[in-house]
Amino acid sequence: MFENITTLSYESPCSQPGGGGPLTYDFDRSEFWRAIPIWRDIDAETFGDFRWQQRNSVTTVHRIKEALSELASSALISDIEDGLLKTPMNIRLTPYIFSRIHWENFENDPVRRQFLPLGSQFVPDHPYVMDDSLAEDGHKATPYLTHRYPDKALFLPITHCPVYCSFCTRSRVVGGSTAVKSKSTYGAKSKEWDSTFEYIRNHPNLEDIVISGGDALLLRPNQIREIGTTLLQIPSVRRIRFATKGLAIMPMKFTSDIEWVEALDDVCRLGREHMKEVALHTHFNTDREITAWTSKAMKVLSETGVRVRNQSVLISGVNDAFDCLHYTTKKLSSQLIQPYYIYLHDMVPGCEHLRTTVSKAEHLSHRLQGSIAGFNTPRMVCDAPGGGGKREISSYILYDHEIGVSAWTSPTAKPCEIFYYYDPIGKLPKEGRDLWANNSEIKRRLIKFRANAEAKAEASRT
Ligand code: SF4
């Protein structure tokens, strides 16, 4: 079924050197899902139907057992059960992403690590994690709109997703309650969006609208059309972006849901007529998520003219190595997906084992620069906790490596504030870990650090 896809040579991705010869890209075109016992007899046509993917998504431990059969040891199952007692995110995996996991090495598998929590891998949260680390809720302009910056706003019409990621920054609202987190999630209710459109109309400084959630993939075609056309017809709105993880976890949506693609196509056509940008922002974290199905989906999407960009999250044990980031970036670029941001992991609960340090992110960013064409080099950023916005990873004003605290300012958007990011304690040098274990010592050190940061910020303002 993939005969139209350019044949590319197959090589092991992460063994590729960063600087040297030409890279070749490995697009899995095998029927890889047949390695999962329950889908052994599923043909490509069935697997390629988004309805089948949605119907057969894995949402319970019982279903994991059923799907894996003899591949699931009792140790694995009880480790997942234990993980579910600790995580703020429920589990939901499409068959596509479930079968990208190499189950023989599930403990270290970078795909499993993103979606299925193992109790044995959890570590206690950092004392400074925040449910709403990006301060979105405090900037609600309507029940569905966050307005934090003068010219941009975030429209959240839905809080459901086709998969649930263990590292989700909106774990406080996305994906239903868990053993440790109760939340109010909501589906897309177009009847309730008028006040949001009205607010945008009444704020002509708003040029960029992000439509996220949740995942825009779960909006119905008429909702994609309604949101897209309404926003594009507001004179001051110049650009709209639909945020979806769909390409990475259910690429067959774009090849088998013709109505959804037609709706996007209509929105893109209107965007061209008005000279406005319509973009789709997606979310790949590793090259394993990019297969021949992705290429097929991108072929369809490129015909709509939608601009596709990728945002990754830097996740420990998933993509925090140069070779993987470099190869994933190059492979995405080969499919007309522009690598755009790599975020330092937000400081949200239940993710301490998945976070990395600012210094590691800086090191990776330095290595990436110059290894890829500038327009395809993703910007490594810290989305400064408390609403400081995306800051270049080396732009902190102060960083204490030992206790893993960095201070950030946002001179244009929030000139009077300082924002602090805290590295995961488990990844600090021993001296830093010891300090965090000593309450009065760490308090003293933090007071000193903040005073120094304030002095630096003050000096830069004058
Ligand atoms: S797809 Fe996005 S919004 Fe949904 S769970 Fe994953 S990170 Fe969160």
Side-chain angles (χ1 to χ4, degrees):
M1 72 173 297
F2 299 126
E3 52 287 349
N4 291 331
I5 293 169
T6 317
T7 303
L8 293 156
S9 55
Y10 285 56
E11 287 184 25
S12 168
C14 289
S15 62
Q16 303 254 2
L23 284 175
T24 50
Y25 306 110
D26 169 15
F27 290 84
D28 193 344
R29 65 191 57 230
S30 69
E31 296 191 340
F32 51 84
W33 60 91
R34 292 189 192 253
I36 306 297
I38 201 169
W39 300 317
R40 212 166 261 156
D41 299 324
I42 296 299
D43 59 28
E45 196 181 333
T46 307
F47 190 76
D49 182 348
F50 80 98
R51 290 174 212 85
W52 184 87
Q53 289 281 330
Q54 284 179 330
R55 268 199 312 273
N56 288 277
S57 289
V58 175
T59 59
T60 61
V61 176
H62 174 73
R63 186 66 177 160
I64 294 173
K65 274 200 260 188
E66 222 175 46
L68 292 177
S69 185
E70 70 275 7
L71 297 181
S73 67
S74 54
L76 163 66
I77 296 300
S78 64
D79 212 354
I80 294 174
E81 281 168 341
D82 187 24
L84 288 178
L85 295 176
K86 298 173 177 170
T87 176
M89 291 304 289
N90 276 307
I91 49 172
R92 174 177 288 275
L93 296 90
T94 55
Y96 175 83
I97 203 68
F98 190 90
S99 45
R100 297 309 293 159
I101 297 170
H102 292 172
W103 288 98
E104 66 282 2
N105 182 28
F106 67 86
E107 276 187 36
N108 299 317
D109 187 87
V111 180
R112 193 283 305 153
R113 204 165 159 79
Q114 296 178 60
F115 300 100
L116 277 178
L118 297 184
S120 59
Q121 296 185 344
F122 271 77
V123 291
D125 282 338
H126 193 288
Y128 286 95
V129 296
M130 291 179 267
D131 258 4
D132 180 14
S133 115
L134 305 182
E136 291 177 342
D137 295 345
H139 290 87
K140 285 257 164 158
T142 76
Y144 300 105
L145 195 78
T146 292
H147 185 184
R148 275 189 312 178
Y149 306 107
D151 58 349
K152 294 180 279 244
L154 175 65
F155 181 18
L156 302 173
I158 187 167
T159 59
H160 301 307
C161 303
V163 293
Y164 291 128
C165 314
S166 302
F167 53 88
C168 183
T169 197
R170 296 199 187 102
S171 58
R172 70 191 185 282
V173 285
V174 167
S177 301
T178 70
V180 295
K181 182 74 199 161
S182 72
K183 36 186 140 161
S184 315
T185 47
Y186 54 83
K189 296 178 201 137
S190 41
K191 284 196 181 86
E192 296 182 10
W193 296 340
D194 285 352
S195 64
T196 295
F197 294 137
E198 203 46 35
Y199 180 90
I200 297 170
R201 247 179 238 115
N202 291 334
H203 287 77
N205 51 330
L206 283 175
E207 293 189 351
D208 281 273
I209 309 294
V210 182
I211 302 111
S212 186
D215 194 315
L217 197 80
L218 296 187
L219 294 171
R220 289 194 299 275
N222 64 319
Q223 294 170 329
I224 290 285
R225 207 176 265 111
E226 180 187 346
I227 292 175
T229 55
T230 308
L231 291 177
L232 289 172
Q233 278 160 355
I234 298 174
S236 48
V237 171
R238 304 301 315 167
R239 290 163 294 273
I240 63 171
R241 298 171 249 175
F242 291 100
T244 175
K245 202 165 164 64
L247 264 171
I249 51 84
M250 193 173 35
M252 46 288 290
K253 172 80 173 177
F254 305 98
T255 52
S256 60
D257 192 347
I258 307 303
E259 277 181 55
W260 198 95
V261 174
E262 278 175 359
L264 182 68
D265 195 32
D266 289 347
V267 175
C268 290
R269 192 171 320 112
L270 187 66
R272 283 195 296 278
E273 281 167 26
H274 289 260
M275 283 285 285
K276 295 183 177 187
E277 182 184 280
V278 178
L280 195 147
H281 280 197
T282 193
H283 180 180
F284 290 87
N285 287 322
T286 70
D287 65 277
R288 182 96 65 76
E289 296 141 42
I290 313 166
T291 67
W293 294 93
T294 322
S295 300
K296 252 193 131 189
M298 276 309 297
K299 182 125 188 25
V300 172
L301 283 174
S302 66
E303 280 161 18
T304 68
V306 73
R307 191 182 291 250
V308 182
R309 301 192 186 97
N310 186 65
Q311 308 183 161
S312 297
V313 177
L314 189 65
I315 306 176
S316 174
V318 171
N319 56 4
D320 60 338
F322 171 73
D323 284 351
C324 284
L325 280 184
H326 180 244
Y327 183 74
T328 303
T329 298
K330 300 274 285 182
K331 194 170 169 183
L332 287 169
S333 309
S334 80
Q335 297 304 295
L336 298 180
I337 302 171
Q338 185 187 12
Y340 164 49
Y341 277 138
I342 300 175
Y343 289 95
L344 190 65
H345 201 302
D346 289 327
M347 290 199 61
V348 286
C351 299
E352 204 59 8
H353 59 300
L354 301 173
R355 292 203 300 124
T356 47
T357 61
V358 168
S359 58
K360 184 159 205 184
E362 268 193 292
H363 167 74
L364 291 167
S365 173
H366 289 162
R367 288 204 65 193
L368 277 177
Q369 289 163 36
S371 71
I372 312 154
F375 51 85
N376 275 333
T377 305
R379 291 170 60 202
M380 187 79 75
V381 292
C382 170
D383 211 341
K390 295 158 198 78
R391 316 308 301 155
E392 297 287 350
I393 199 66
S394 295
S395 68
Y396 48 78
I397 56 165
L398 198 62
Y399 185 13
D400 182 331
H401 289 72
E402 194 169 73
I403 57 169
V405 186
S406 45
W408 310 73
T409 55
S410 184
T412 309
K414 311 263 171 81
C416 299
E417 291 180 57
I418 303 179
F419 305 91
Y420 297 95
Y421 185 87
Y422 299 84
D423 292 340
I425 294 170
K427 296 195 171 78
L428 298 178
K430 182 175 179 323
E431 297 73 20
R433 294 200 304 272
D434 289 348
L435 278 166
W436 278 101
N438 182 328
N439 239 336
S440 51
E441 278 298 315
I442 194 66
K443 231 174 163 179
R444 242 194 308 276
R445 183 81 168 245
L446 286 173
I447 289 171
K448 195 169 157 208
F449 180 84
R450 286 177 192 144
N452 288 340
E454 274 161 31
K456 275 208 136 199
E458 186 56 38
S460 69
R461 278 183 217 120
T462 50

